[in-house]
Amino acid sequence: MNNLFSAATIFGIIGMAIRLAMPYLYAGLGELFNQTAGCFNLGVEGIMMMGAFSAFYVVYQTGNLFLGIAAAAVIGLFMGLIMSLISVTFKAAQGISGIGLTMFGVGLSSLLFKTLLQGTVQSVAGFAPLKIPVLGDIPFIGETFFQNNLMVYLAYCLIPVCSVVLYKTTLGLKIRSVGQNPQAADTLGVSVIKIRYLCVCIGGVLAGIAGATFSIANINMFQEKMTNGTGYIAVALVYFSGWKPKGVLFGALLFSFVNALQLRMQVLGINIPSDVAMMLPYILTIITLVFVQGRDAPAALSVPYERSEN
Amino acid sequence: MSKKFSIMILFVCVVMTLLSVPVLAEDEVFQVAMVMPSKINDYSFSQSMYEALKVLQSEVGEENFEIVYSEDMFNVADAREAIRDYADMGFDLVIAHGSQYGTSIQEIAPDYPETAFAWGNGTDFFGLDNVSVYQARAEQGGYVFGQIAAAVSENGKLGVCGPVESGDAKTYIDGFKNGAAEAGAEVSVTYTSSFSDVSLMSAAAETHMDEGAMVLTGTSQSIPGAVSVVKERDGVWLGVQWDTIPLAPENVLVSLVYDWTPILNEIITKMTEGIYGGAAYDLTFENGGLQILWNTENLEIDQELIDMADDLAQKIVDGEIEPLPAG
Amino acid sequence: MLLKIRSFMQKTFDAILPIFATLLALIIGIFMLKSLGKNPLDAYQALFEGAFGSQRAIIQTVIKATPLLLVGIGVCIAFRGGVVNIGGEGQIIMGALASAAVALYLPIPSRLIMIPLCLLTAMAAGAVWGGIPGFLKARMGVNEILTTVMMNSIAVYFSNFLLRGPMIDPHEIEMGTRAAQTAQMPEYTWLTRLAPPTQLNTGTILAVILAFFAFVLLWRTTIGYRIRAVGFNSAASKYAGIKVPIYQAMAMILSGAFSGLAGGIELFGVQHRVLENISANYGFNGIVTALFGNLHPIGTIPAAVLFGGLMVGGNKMQRSVQVHSAFIDTLLGLVVLFVVAAKIFSTNRSKRRAKNE
């Protein structure tokens, strides 16, 4: 009860937060691409479930983890294509098509699970922790930061990559201009449709991988609806981030930290009702959002693009 | 346009016509319907009942015993309609396998005197002679498992990954805490407040293990998340409600299995005698409904431990031990 | 005259579009059923029979349609005001909890007082739960999608807390079963049942009346005009002197009130006690319903019946043919995707027409 502030406990909480943040990072960064280009994809949850299942199934059949990730990415890409077809080409209301995609993805993943695996929960050997030499040996810090599995490291490496792509490359400029002012971008010869397709597909791939982290890089088994709302939180985190990759990082870590903290408090027997503890991450996210001001959404977010000349 | 349109209309007509083809009538077999809030493969409460029905079916042959079910009926209004519809379709026995279905049974059962209803984990049969009620005395198993866990734990620290503070999950945990406390072990409990959050369940198990508890237990369909952590970090898991051994053959020491077959047999036997309900059943050590399933196939288990558990179970049967603390 | 006919045709086309989209989804479903080894004809017959095949089926569909309709109306209002209310789930839960508290702890055994009081409490609680995101958006510019998603989770945990602790049925503790539910509501708070033994109740009538009310509110009052103006073009509205944030917040509050009422009617009309999962995804499905109804309160009425029918029929399909419930979820997802995608045909037609004229 009194050892909440011991070094082991504090580093334990941080370490867990780092691992818990992983799916939020993949899915959140993917959604960041969507939204920066002006597409709002609420179907992340459905894509994640399909990614989780396909990765699990491939690993279960072949034992090859990288094939599993690839499968999740391909399925994510495919789901992203469906989403972009509906929201870009058919110019559908994006929030609702996202809900439809979620229903479809969550349902189909359960259905496949029942048909292909007879609905039996089984486990596979997932990504094992990878200790980084030297750094991994530092007491506490090593265990917390440098003894995670490959997918965790990759998630954190993805943040600078996304920053560079979005803010330091021509492609990033195009993406942002399509999200801010598609008419102007179009006049300058940027293909709004192509960029949006690309971004929604990138978002799909990353969401697929986010799902895969559940089934082969964290829990290493598949269960229906196992992502349990992570996709919606990831979308919310993008708003929280102010459309900046490091904002996604901050949001994901904050949310995961509070979750890790409340679990630890329960284990240590600190007496708060568990349901109240479970609320904390959500309440804190809202409060933080109120105090972090001055965010501008991409101006054309969730507005389907129409060429004005027809 | 008009061509496409007429094709579509034609199609609609075809579909509608086909829809009106009648289904064939059913044969004379014993028909059981089960309505449950989770799924038949949840590794816990629902699965235990479904597998019991399967056992009965294999005894009398599939052609004489039909089982149908409705999963995911967490919405009581849907469940209610399912229960009524099964009764309407002429099922012999309708099992409402969720404590939240009580009011529905109370309202529907009087309308179908020819159908037997069973409600679990239920509290009473409302004085209706076609309703049986069954309940798992999870605290009995909890007490014994608390003692077992305390005996196998090296540092006297135990972790419980409870999903929610309600229903038989709660009574199991209360029994577990009591048993462990009497054996001098320290129990910490986490609630994730969700039956399905596998990811948080695994985080909870990890937190327990970080704080030194190597012997863990818990219930609900989200426990595979916790078991996978126990497996990875080589801890010990005690399963509840259904056999969790297949999830981690090297780490699940023992499972507390709910075996509903004795109770179901009694209900069905009585039905053949024309008694459709009006009785309450408890799943206990005494009637063999609560079973301790040791993982002897994969692990070497100390015979003393097994004897201790049997002894405790016997003492509970004899009334020498109260599984729940007084008050 | 010709124009009128064309406009009528146009409207009819818009209205039946969702039905075509649904049929398309059902066709894909045939292949899925085949691959599951089920007979598609049996399955769809069960679906249809379960939804509209008998008097009881129709009543079940209507019961299911009621909360969908109420949430849908709320979603229409929010969308018209340019805000997205994904918080229906949370608002339903809070509406049910607050009104349950009133019904259980305020001993005034009078139907005349209690029923309006309980339903108003439900509306107020929903309005507060929808109003918080509305207020945060209006005053702080906090995105309502984020807050409503978060508020949903908070409401679920809050309800779990109450149902397992302070508000648990004392009988459950006494018997040691500890199911997470409140005691039964006192009988004088129940909404009148229209066709016993089914649960069809006066709440359905109220919901339909409110759909018309919402229509009048949005299209025949100044407040409604301003809400729509804000949603249609917030910049222009601002120049016209409309206080945009206030009307956006108001749209959220109204939207929340309708969802809260859905919770209240589900409680006093159908369930008679608050259980876990009382929201039963109505919050999300209500959004889809509103979309089916072209985001128009009146259009939401048939949409709710269609969608409610699909859900009720889906359950029947699970019972009769033993297809997994996941199949129905998948099918509904497809229906939604096709319906939103099909919208482009009606928009394109109206655009072509506008160009020709």
Side-chain angles (χ1 to χ4, degrees):
Chain A
M1 188 162 295
N2 41 20
N3 51 357
L4 180 61
F5 296 104
S6 76
T9 302
I10 290 172
F11 278 102
I13 296 172
I14 295 173
M16 178 159 296
I18 285 174
R19 286 189 296 279
L20 282 178
M22 164 174 61
Y24 296 111
L25 285 176
Y26 284 110
L29 289 171
E31 182 69 12
L32 182 67
F33 269 96
N34 286 330
Q35 297 201 0
T36 310
C39 292
F40 169 54
N41 184 356
L42 206 51
V44 179
E45 179 84 0
I47 304 180
M48 284 175 72
M49 277 315 298
M50 286 301 290
F53 178 78
S54 43
F56 179 84
Y57 188 67
V58 167
V59 173
Y60 179 74
Q61 293 292 349
T62 66
N64 188 327
L65 290 168
F66 294 97
L67 267 183
I69 292 291
V74 170
I75 295 292
L77 178 74
F78 182 69
M79 296 284 280
L81 271 176
I82 298 179
M83 184 66 197
S84 34
L85 186 71
I86 291 168
S87 61
V88 181
T89 305
F90 285 104
K91 305 186 178 78
Q94 294 172 1
I96 293 162
S97 44
I99 292 178
L101 197 67
T102 294
M103 290 166 83
F104 175 70
V106 173
L108 189 60
S109 62
S110 297
L111 200 58
L112 288 170
F113 175 57
K114 292 260 185 175
T115 338
L116 296 176
L117 297 172
Q118 287 75 45
T120 320
V121 177
Q122 293 171 80
S123 55
V124 292
F127 283 92
L130 201 67
K131 192 169 154 187
I132 293 184
V134 188
L135 290 174
D137 290 326
I138 308 171
F140 296 127
I141 294 177
E143 201 177 318
T144 310
F145 297 102
F146 302 110
Q147 293 188 18
N148 290 306
N149 69 47
L150 183 65
M151 295 310 288
V152 177
Y153 297 127
L154 265 181
Y156 288 89
C157 291
L158 211 56
I159 296 152
V161 173
C162 288
S163 277
V164 170
V165 171
L166 283 175
Y167 289 96
K168 296 282 190 297
T169 63
T170 350
L171 177 68
L173 185 66
K174 284 180 184 169
I175 294 174
R176 281 180 295 134
S177 64
V178 163
Q180 286 298 343
N181 191 340
Q183 278 76 15
D186 197 6
T187 336
L188 292 172
V190 179
S191 166
V192 176
I193 305 292
K194 261 190 208 158
I195 292 287
R196 287 197 166 168
Y197 259 82
L198 177 73
C199 285
V200 177
C201 288
I202 293 176
V205 169
L206 288 178
I209 294 175
T213 63
F214 276 90
S215 59
I216 62 173
N218 180 17
I219 313 170
N220 305 336
M221 44 139 242
F222 183 85
Q223 171 79 304
E224 288 167 75
K225 298 179 186 163
M226 70 190 297
T227 55
N228 202 47
T230 309
Y232 289 106
I233 306 287
V235 174
L237 286 179
V238 174
Y239 283 87
F240 180 91
S241 75
W243 292 272
K244 301 273 191 308
K246 59 175 185 288
V248 175
L249 171 68
F250 177 63
L253 278 178
L254 178 76
F255 190 81
S256 311
F257 179 79
V258 181
N259 241 332
L261 179 70
Q262 62 91 0
L263 279 177
R264 187 68 65 143
M265 283 162 69
Q266 287 193 38
V267 170
L268 294 178
I270 294 170
N271 212 353
I272 39 166
S274 58
D275 295 301
V276 175
M278 294 297 304
M279 277 182 220
L280 288 177
Y282 302 90
I283 294 174
L284 201 77
T285 310
I286 294 181
I287 292 174
T288 317
L289 201 67
V290 171
F291 287 104
V292 185
Q293 289 282 324
R295 260 73 186 280
D296 288 314
L301 183 57
S302 85
V303 183
Y305 178 60
E306 305 261 1
R307 276 194 153 173
S308 42
E309 60 265 26
N310 15 308
Chain B
M1 168 61 209
S2 65
K3 197 174 172 187
K4 267 187 212 160
F5 201 76
S6 46
I7 291 176
M8 277 195 239
I9 288 178
L10 184 72
F11 181 80
V12 174
C13 293
V14 170
V15 171
M16 292 296 166
T17 324
L18 291 176
L19 285 179
S20 48
V21 179
V23 275
L24 293 169
E26 303 278 350
D27 292 81
E28 281 294 317
V29 289
F30 190 79
Q31 293 177 306
V32 187
M34 176 180 169
V35 180
M36 66 197 112
S38 62
K39 291 178 191 292
I40 55 160
N41 53 7
D42 65 353
Y43 273 102
S44 53
F45 191 55
S46 295
Q47 185 161 8
S48 67
M49 176 54 85
Y50 182 71
E51 301 283 346
L53 287 171
K54 279 281 188 200
V55 168
L56 293 188
Q57 187 184 43
S58 68
E59 280 169 10
V60 295
E62 227 169 284
E63 65 283 355
N64 300 317
F65 195 95
E66 185 193 348
I67 308 169
V68 298
Y69 57 85
S70 288
E71 294 178 319
D72 276 336
M73 291 287 122
F74 53 79
N75 178 6
V76 177
D78 288 347
R80 187 194 152 90
E81 171 57 12
I83 293 166
R84 186 175 279 281
D85 197 37
Y86 281 131
D88 222 32
M89 283 151 79
F91 277 81
D92 300 291
L93 173 62
V94 178
I95 300 174
H97 196 60
S99 47
Q100 60 268 60
Y101 302 151
T103 323
S104 311
I105 289 289
Q106 191 178 5
E107 285 187 30
I108 295 167
D111 296 346
Y112 298 91
E114 299 292 297
T115 304
F117 295 87
W119 173 40
N121 277 331
T123 45
D124 78 71
F125 49 86
F126 315 108
L128 295 166
D129 57 9
N130 62 338
V131 175
S132 311
V133 60
Y134 55 89
Q135 188 182 351
R137 305 255 47 135
E139 69 276 10
Q140 297 190 351
Y143 181 89
V144 176
F145 271 40
Q147 293 265 4
I148 295 174
V152 293
S153 165
E154 280 162 19
N155 56 7
K157 280 186 166 182
L158 310 175
V160 178
C161 305
V164 295
E165 267 183 284
S166 67
D168 64 334
K170 165 89 178 151
T171 48
Y172 169 76
I173 292 168
D174 286 346
F176 186 89
K177 280 201 272 195
N178 191 31
E182 283 183 14
E186 184 191 334
V187 184
S188 54
V189 188
T190 49
Y191 294 106
T192 55
S193 204
S194 156
F195 286 105
S196 57
D197 198 333
V198 187
S199 162
L200 208 58
M201 196 59 144
S202 91
E206 221 175 309
T207 311
H208 279 300
M209 298 188 95
D210 278 354
E211 287 297 329
M214 293 306 279
V215 183
L216 271 60
T217 186
T219 63
S220 95
Q221 71 252 42
S222 61
I223 54 110
V227 179
S228 82
V229 171
V230 171
K231 188 177 169 187
E232 211 164 280
R233 297 175 60 163
D234 206 25
V236 176
W237 180 265
L238 282 67
V240 195
Q241 292 182 341
W242 188 244
D243 176 15
T244 33
I245 293 167
L247 283 177
E250 304 292 318
N251 303 87
V252 177
L253 174 71
V254 59
S255 282
L256 179 70
V257 174
Y258 288 6
D259 182 1
W260 298 102
T261 44
I263 290 178
L264 280 173
N265 261 327
E266 202 171 328
I267 291 176
I268 293 170
T269 316
K270 276 192 177 170
M271 282 174 73
T272 57
E273 294 159 8
I275 301 165
Y276 278 60
Y281 301 91
D282 275 355
L283 191 80
T284 57
F285 280 123
E286 189 170 11
N287 61 18
L290 285 179
Q291 288 177 358
I292 301 175
L293 185 68
W294 294 93
N295 186 6
T296 41
E297 200 177 313
N298 304 295
L299 299 173
E300 273 195 32
I301 298 166
D302 201 345
Q303 189 56 40
E304 267 176 44
L305 196 64
I306 298 177
D307 293 342
M308 180 198 83
D310 289 343
D311 186 44
L312 286 169
Q314 191 53 46
K315 279 186 177 153
I316 290 174
V317 172
D318 298 340
E320 285 172 39
I321 293 177
E322 266 306 312
L324 288 178
Chain C
M1 186 61 204
L2 196 68
L3 259 177
K4 253 188 189 164
I5 294 173
R6 284 189 65 169
S7 140
F8 176 74
M9 292 277 290
Q10 169 75 38
K11 276 190 178 153
T12 325
F13 183 76
D14 285 358
I16 57 175
L17 211 55
I19 297 174
F20 277 118
T22 310
L23 282 177
L24 189 60
L26 290 179
I27 294 168
I28 294 186
I30 291 177
F31 295 105
M32 289 168 63
L33 283 166
K34 281 254 182 228
S35 63
L36 288 173
K38 306 283 177 188
N39 183 344
L41 283 182
D42 290 352
Y44 284 157
Q45 189 189 3
L47 177 75
F48 185 78
E49 271 185 3
F52 306 107
S54 66
Q55 193 193 356
R56 207 180 80 220
I58 295 171
I59 287 176
Q60 284 306 321
T61 297
V62 172
I63 293 172
K64 195 99 191 164
T66 306
L68 289 175
L69 173 59
L70 284 166
V71 176
I73 299 168
V75 171
C76 290
I77 298 174
F79 263 88
R80 295 286 173 182
V83 280
V84 186
N85 180 11
I86 310 187
E89 288 285 298
Q91 292 146 17
I92 292 173
I93 294 173
M94 296 311 281
L97 283 174
S99 53
V102 169
L104 289 174
Y105 305 127
L106 201 67
I108 309 175
S110 151
R111 292 178 68 77
L112 217 59
I113 300 174
M114 283 311 273
I115 290 183
L117 185 65
C118 287
L119 294 183
L120 284 174
T121 313
M123 286 184 93
V128 169
W129 214 245
I132 294 171
F135 174 80
L136 290 178
K137 185 183 173 79
R139 293 299 296 271
M140 320 268 183
V142 182
N143 184 281
E144 78 280 10
I145 294 179
L146 173 114
T147 35
T148 46
V149 167
M150 299 278 165
M151 300 282 283
N152 280 344
S153 301
I154 295 172
V156 169
Y157 292 124
F158 184 60
S159 132
N160 289 348
F161 168 66
L162 289 180
L163 296 183
R164 287 165 199 160
M167 280 178 83
I168 194 172
D169 185 354
H171 185 64
E172 289 292 331
I173 296 184
E174 205 182 297
M175 300 298 292
T177 34
R178 287 193 160 269
Q181 56 188 29
T182 64
Q184 200 167 55
M185 298 298 121
E187 210 157 321
Y188 52 82
T189 59
W190 296 4
L191 297 174
T192 311
R193 287 201 170 158
L194 295 174
T198 71
Q199 295 160 304
L200 188 68
N201 60 75
T202 42
T204 306
I205 301 173
L206 182 63
V208 174
I209 295 172
L210 284 175
F212 285 94
F213 169 80
F215 167 72
V216 173
L217 177 83
L218 279 174
W219 272 274
R220 298 285 185 273
T221 65
T222 324
I223 295 178
Y225 167 75
R226 288 185 178 160
I227 288 179
R228 286 188 299 125
V230 167
F232 190 71
N233 189 336
S234 66
S237 309
K238 203 173 158 191
Y239 286 122
I242 299 175
K243 293 196 175 87
V244 174
I246 290 186
Y247 284 93
Q248 281 182 333
M250 194 178 295
M252 276 305 288
I253 290 172
L254 282 169
S255 184
F258 276 99
S259 294
L261 182 64
I265 287 182
E266 187 69 6
L267 171 62
F268 296 105
V270 180
Q271 314 273 16
H272 296 165
R273 55 170 95 221
V274 186
L275 306 121
E276 284 173 313
N277 276 315
I278 194 164
S279 56
N281 262 337
Y282 289 132
F284 286 108
N285 292 332
I287 301 175
V288 182
T289 309
L291 172 90
F292 266 54
N294 277 325
L295 294 170
H296 190 293
I298 308 287
T300 308
I301 299 173
V305 173
L306 179 69
F307 209 67
L310 275 175
M311 292 164 84
V312 172
N315 284 336
K316 172 80 181 174
M317 189 153 109
Q318 194 197 353
R319 288 197 290 278
S320 300
V321 203
Q322 294 283 289
V323 264
H324 300 301
S325 55
F327 170 75
I328 293 125
D329 296 342
T330 316
L331 201 66
L332 285 179
L334 276 179
V335 170
V336 173
L337 288 176
F338 288 145
V339 172
V340 280
K343 281 254 171 254
I344 193 167
F345 296 109
S346 69
T347 12
N348 277 358
R349 272 170 63 93
S350 49
K351 232 176 277 154
R352 261 205 311 278
R353 208 159 50 94
K355 215 172 148 193
N356 291 341
E357 272 158 24

